[in-house]
Amino acid sequence: MKNKKGFTLIELLAVIVILAIIALIAIPIVLNMIESARKAAARDTAYGYIDAIEYNNGFADMEVAGYTRITGDDIDISDISVKLKGKAPDSGEITVDNKGKVTDASLCIGKYKVEYNGKEVTNVEKSSDCSGTKKLKFKIGDIVYFDPVKYEFCNEAYSTCYEWIVISRKNNTYEFFMLDDVSSMLWYQTSSTSNPVDIIKTYVTDWSNKLTVDSSHDVTVDADWKLEFSSTKARMLDKSEFASFPAEMKTIISNKCTRDTEANARAWRHCSIMNNAENTFAIINSYPEIDYVANTIPYVAKSCTWDNYIKPVIKVDITDGVGNTSNLDYKKYNVGDLVYFDPVSNNKCDSTSFNATNVANGTSTCYKWRVITTADTVYMPNVVIQLDHEIALSKWASSSTSSPATVLTSLASATSGWNNVSNLNFEYDTSAAQYNYGKLTCTNGSCKISGNNSNIATNVKARIITGEELKRIIAISNTPKNSKSNLWNISSTSNDYYYFSNKSMIIGTNQSASGSGSTALSWLIENTSSNSSSGATDNAYGSNVGGYWTLSPVADYNGSVWNLTSDGEFDSVNINRTSYGLRPVITIEKSKLN
């Protein structure tokens, strides 16, 4: 038998070394070829997309059906749709001039960012901006809720969580116009010589220093007024800006700036804005018809006979700190949504586990709740919910030391078993009301009021709804043109009455509810007596309460608080009334409802 000769160990090692050398030389070449191919593919995709934009505009200019012209600066490509062959970029921004040509583009295609200068692609590189992480984006005209003090988005109706509309966007920097009415930002034109910049400065003192204004908005008005908005944290809206807004945006803003001349209407005021072309001020007016900037009643500084709001514009950069991009997949809840939640176990419970009789006799803690968050989004991790019935506890009494805030003491006791629910973090300011207990501040469950700087409760889990929250909830059921839904605010007086009927909010003096049948708002008066006239049919607990209290005192009458009655009326009642109930409001993590 012949001996078979194999490779020696030295020979094997030599082969391995040779293969390793070949690999060291070849692999980078192969990887570079793959990388070059991927970059070329990204470059070709960018060119194809840019061509599609320009072809789209050409067809649109020829009025071909199905094509809409695209022009503007820093357009988020998620806001537009074009017909093209092949794959579209994943994200990015483009600028298109008035001729329909793309003059600038920054596009993410896979993990590659492609830069285009209007003539050619100038750079294709891997970028962390194109990692696939979801990014917070808004469109012009979106409604957002933002706290300029904390410099963060919010979804509760507390003192500095304001409602805004997006009026401009450049990359990650947005400008928001405030939609909420702020009584302390009134400009008394007939009696005051105050500069509107000074009014803004005074109001925004506590706002974040991250807010800035470009000097391009500074302007001289009259011979003696230099308005330097760049020296403060907010500015006024300009007439030319407003004129460029889409009609829907103008309608929304105008409805927030209306002066209603009906005999029974109260507290309507216009919004003062700049009119740089004429070095004057103008107003946004929508009565009797929408006349967005009323040139029929222009006025030079200090000459208007009405009291007008100055609604500020702020600039917000969401690149860092605001709009965290790591968690943008939370469920979005709509106001009025029904959820089942056990505050004792701090977990969702199943609707089949709910039994009204067991809840009423205290043998079950699987409760029905309603979402009262009106501005929820996929980037907010929490949601605010309100119990669908009253909770048995002592209300406040009509003494000089009691106030709506004092119910938190009773709520803390009544909800003491809800150990796993987060402690209350909440702020509410009643300084606009005569019956003013000052600013209520709850930090990690410890609550105090500024009126006498006293601590009123600890370990607080729950609160009650505010008038501002009810205002926003009620307004949701109205069309944008029904501006009356936006009248109520904390400065409304005891002569004002409001009621909802068949999905509408009606405002006047000494009115009563006249609704019948099902309404979108009937869940607000669940489990109250005599509520069928306003469409509510749920009285599962056999409740005899006549309505529910809010946290909001009445502006002109000591000892009165706003409440919602069983017949759908939103009015004021003295705090010694014991026939009204308290529905606890808590904030919970959305993850608990998954």
Side-chain angles (χ1 to χ4, degrees):
M1 185 175 182
K2 292 183 178 180
N3 292 330
K4 293 184 178 180
K5 187 176 181 181
F7 290 107
T8 65
L9 181 60
I10 297 298
E11 291 172 328
L12 287 172
L13 288 174
V15 171
I16 292 172
V17 169
I18 292 170
L19 291 174
I21 293 171
I22 294 172
L24 286 173
I25 297 171
I27 289 176
I29 295 174
V30 172
L31 290 177
N32 284 336
M33 291 175 63
I34 294 173
E35 179 73 3
S36 296
R38 288 174 175 170
K39 284 185 175 182
R43 182 182 291 105
D44 290 342
T45 298
Y47 278 127
Y49 183 73
I50 291 165
D51 285 345
I53 295 288
E54 294 178 347
Y55 287 143
N56 173 89
N57 285 340
F59 286 126
D61 289 344
M62 291 187 289
E63 299 183 353
V64 177
Y67 291 89
T68 303
R69 203 167 197 277
I70 300 169
T71 56
D73 296 333
D74 299 310
I75 306 168
D76 192 319
I77 67 169
S78 63
D79 297 340
I80 58 178
S81 176
V82 292
K83 300 175 183 179
L84 76 161
K85 293 181 180 180
K87 183 179 180 298
D90 301 302
S91 61
E93 292 86 26
I94 61 172
T95 295
V96 186
D97 65 18
N98 57 11
K99 296 180 180 179
K101 299 295 183 182
V102 177
T103 60
D104 184 70
S106 179
L107 304 170
C108 284
I109 300 166
K111 296 180 180 180
Y112 297 89
K113 176 175 275 191
V114 181
E115 304 288 350
Y116 176 78
N117 66 2
K119 295 181 179 179
E120 61 183 358
V121 169
T122 59
N123 192 44
V124 182
E125 294 292 342
K126 283 186 177 179
S127 171
S128 59
D129 292 340
C130 302
S131 62
T133 302
K134 295 180 181 178
K135 293 188 176 183
L136 188 58
K137 292 289 185 183
F138 299 111
K139 300 188 294 295
I140 306 301
D142 280 352
I143 304 296
V144 298
Y145 285 79
F146 185 79
D147 184 336
V149 177
K150 298 178 180 178
Y151 202 75
E152 65 184 21
F153 291 98
C154 50
N155 63 350
E156 293 187 49
Y158 60 84
S159 299
T160 55
C161 181
Y162 298 113
E163 182 183 26
W164 310 79
I165 188 168
V166 179
I167 63 170
S168 74
R169 184 186 70 82
K170 187 174 179 62
N171 295 324
N172 288 320
T173 300
Y174 295 82
E175 285 192 302
F176 302 154
F177 174 80
M178 184 186 284
L179 295 178
D180 278 330
D181 295 336
V182 181
S183 58
S184 56
M185 291 192 74
L186 281 175
W187 188 10
Y188 296 94
Q189 299 286 18
T190 56
S191 60
S192 174
T193 59
S194 60
N195 188 313
V197 175
D198 295 331
I199 295 174
I200 293 174
K201 274 186 178 180
T202 300
Y203 188 79
V204 305
T205 299
D206 296 331
W207 289 11
S208 171
N209 290 329
K210 294 180 180 179
L211 297 170
T212 59
V213 177
D214 297 330
S215 59
S216 59
H217 297 291
D218 293 349
V219 65
T220 299
V221 179
D222 287 340
D224 55 346
W225 276 21
K226 173 70 174 178
L227 304 187
E228 296 180 305
F229 294 107
S230 56
S231 63
T232 185
K233 303 169 186 176
R235 65 176 178 89
M236 293 176 72
L237 189 68
D238 183 77
K239 175 184 173 181
S240 60
E241 282 181 297
F242 187 82
S244 69
F245 293 160
E248 184 177 355
M249 278 181 64
K250 291 178 180 178
T251 300
I252 293 172
I253 294 174
S254 293
N255 286 340
K256 294 288 187 174
C257 295
T258 301
R259 181 178 180 88
D260 198 320
T261 60
E262 292 182 15
N264 291 331
R266 305 175 62 90
W268 288 98
R269 296 178 175 90
H270 297 300
C271 299
S272 294
I273 63 175
M274 295 301 304
N275 187 10
N276 294 352
E278 301 172 15
N279 287 340
T280 64
F281 295 96
I283 59 173
I284 300 174
N285 174 39
S286 59
Y287 186 88
E289 296 178 352
I290 295 176
D291 183 11
Y292 299 123
V293 179
N295 285 320
T296 55
I297 35 179
Y299 56 96
V300 179
K302 306 184 289 295
S303 68
C304 184
T305 59
W306 295 330
D307 303 338
N308 296 287
Y309 281 113
I310 296 176
K311 294 196 176 213
V313 174
I314 60 173
K315 186 169 67 172
V316 177
D317 186 346
I318 66 169
T319 304
D320 298 310
V322 177
N324 191 318
T325 60
S326 60
N327 293 302
L328 295 179
D329 55 357
Y330 298 110
K331 178 179 177 180
K332 179 183 183 299
Y333 286 89
N334 297 312
V335 66
D337 280 355
L338 175 64
V339 297
Y340 293 88
F341 183 75
D342 185 337
V344 176
S345 66
N346 195 29
N347 280 299
K348 177 183 179 180
C349 54
D350 194 273
S351 59
T352 58
S353 302
F354 172 77
N355 183 287
T357 301
N358 292 341
V359 169
N361 63 30
T363 59
S364 174
T365 53
C366 180
Y367 300 141
K368 285 173 62 178
W369 303 78
R370 295 287 183 169
V371 173
I372 64 170
T373 298
T374 56
D376 196 33
T377 63
V378 295
Y379 53 86
M380 297 302 296
N382 301 321
V383 67
V384 186
I385 59 176
Q386 175 181 253
L387 197 62
D388 78 325
H389 63 282
E390 77 154 342
I391 191 167
L393 49 81
S394 59
K395 285 80 173 176
W396 53 81
S398 57
S399 67
S400 60
T401 58
S402 66
S403 74
T406 60
V407 302
L408 294 180
T409 304
S410 299
L411 279 170
S413 175
T415 61
S416 60
W418 300 359
N419 292 320
N420 294 317
V421 173
S422 299
N423 282 328
L424 183 64
N425 289 287
F426 186 71
E427 294 179 357
Y428 188 63
D429 194 349
T430 66
S431 58
Q434 181 181 346
Y435 191 62
N436 165 27
Y437 54 86
K439 186 175 184 179
L440 167 68
T441 303
C442 296
T443 305
N444 196 28
S446 295
C447 301
K448 68 178 182 178
I449 51 177
S450 63
N452 55 15
N453 199 31
S454 62
N455 293 318
I456 57 174
T458 57
N459 199 35
V460 178
K461 309 285 186 180
R463 59 177 177 87
I464 60 175
I465 199 168
T466 69
E468 283 82 356
E469 284 172 311
L470 275 178
K471 168 191 171 182
R472 287 176 177 172
I473 289 168
I474 291 168
I476 282 177
S477 68
N478 291 270
T479 61
K481 290 184 179 180
N482 188 354
S483 60
K484 289 185 177 183
S485 64
N486 301 313
L487 181 147
W488 187 86
N489 56 53
I490 200 167
S491 62
S492 295
T493 69
S494 56
N495 290 324
D496 295 324
Y497 291 81
Y498 318 89
Y499 63 92
F500 59 83
S501 170
N502 294 329
K503 301 185 180 181
S504 296
M505 180 65 174
I506 310 300
I507 295 168
T509 302
N510 297 322
Q511 302 286 355
S512 61
S514 60
S516 62
S518 176
T519 80
L521 302 170
S522 61
W523 59 271
L524 283 171
I525 49 176
E526 290 174 302
N527 302 303
T528 58
S529 60
S530 304
N531 59 9
S532 60
S533 64
S534 290
T537 58
D538 188 351
N539 288 309
Y541 310 98
S543 177
N544 291 318
V545 297
Y548 299 113
W549 294 106
T550 78
L551 199 60
S552 305
V554 178
D556 67 337
Y557 191 71
N558 275 358
S560 285
V561 182
W562 289 98
N563 70 93
L564 188 64
T565 67
S566 60
D567 58 4
E569 187 174 288
F570 188 29
D571 66 0
S572 58
V573 176
N574 194 282
I575 60 175
N576 62 6
R577 290 282 293 273
T578 59
S579 58
Y580 292 93
L582 297 166
R583 296 171 70 177
V585 172
I586 61 175
T587 299
I588 60 172
E589 300 91 339
K590 290 179 180 177
S591 59
K592 298 294 183 181
L593 297 176
N594 291 339

